[in-house]
Amino acid sequence: MGAAVTELAKVLGHPDVDPLPVDWAAVERQLGVGLPADYKAFADAYPALFINEYLRVCHPSCSDAQRNLLLDAQVRTRSLRELTAEFPEMHVYPVYPAPGGLLCWGNNTSREQCYWLTEGHPDDWRVVIGEQEDYCWLFDGNFCDFLLASCRGELAHPFYGSFTGPLEKVDFVR
């Protein structure tokens, strides 16, 4: 487990359900891209999450289709791709599989999506949060940095609305 995942584990605690094993080669083949090492280390240790009844984190082996990286997240990426094609003036970033495009990994209960900005090597990907129709927020950090800052209540942004604050509750979803 990497340092960022170790720090995140201190905040999240041990999951009450273990994640199902992930065949990363098959997942990356299906997605058509390698994934960040911090996300893979996280998903090897944790199943899908629902943080503070607000932030959903997808996992490639989750049986809940709405929290499965290969199902729901890809539907959300495809939906963004369709909106971007229809209204390009409203979207700052391209959408995966375009180079440097957004690839969904989660969402919140307020309709915002969580994406990786697939620029450069996967370990250098930053997080972008956006409402599909009109705005994007670039977080200057990777997947684990974003989750750690979220769980510590360190992010003051409209994405969180009234849900700011440190971790109070986490649901683990296999």
Side-chain angles (χ1 to χ4, degrees):
M1 202 175 344
V5 177
T6 300
E7 282 301 307
L8 197 49
K10 290 176 185 175
V11 175
L12 292 173
H14 187 73
D16 56 8
V17 294
D18 291 326
L20 295 173
V22 177
D23 179 346
W24 289 111
V27 168
E28 292 173 333
R29 199 170 33 256
Q30 186 171 344
L31 290 174
V33 68
L35 292 172
D38 70 325
Y39 175 77
K40 292 192 289 188
F42 175 82
D44 285 340
Y46 287 93
L49 304 177
F50 192 35
I51 298 171
N52 286 350
E53 297 182 345
Y54 183 70
L55 177 62
R56 296 179 191 100
V57 178
C58 293
H59 190 283
S61 69
C62 187
S63 61
D64 179 346
Q66 293 184 338
R67 290 182 178 93
N68 184 293
L69 184 72
L70 296 172
L71 300 175
D72 184 65
Q74 296 317 295
V75 168
R76 292 172 190 277
T77 299
R78 189 169 36 258
S79 176
L80 179 63
R81 191 168 31 256
E82 292 165 3
L83 282 170
T84 301
E86 188 172 351
F87 304 103
E89 69 282 358
M90 296 177 70
H91 299 277
V92 176
Y93 301 105
V95 182
Y96 183 79
L102 299 176
L103 176 62
C104 189
W105 58 260
N107 58 74
N108 70 22
T109 58
S110 297
R111 297 179 15 109
E112 284 106 353
Q113 313 306 310
C114 303
Y115 303 101
W116 284 295
L117 182 60
T118 61
E119 291 180 335
H121 188 276
D123 292 342
D124 297 329
W125 292 355
R126 293 179 290 167
V127 170
V128 172
I129 305 300
E131 210 278 332
Q132 287 188 341
E133 285 82 24
D134 61 5
Y135 78 87
C136 284
W137 167 46
L138 176 63
F139 173 77
D140 192 23
N142 64 24
F143 171 82
C144 279
D145 294 337
F146 178 80
L147 280 188
L148 191 56
S150 296
C151 290
R152 289 179 172 164
E154 297 171 350
L155 300 178
H157 190 273
F159 168 76
Y160 280 100
S162 62
F163 295 93
T164 59
L167 178 69
E168 293 177 12
K169 180 180 180 187
V170 61
D171 294 312
F172 301 102
V173 184
R174 187 177 7 178

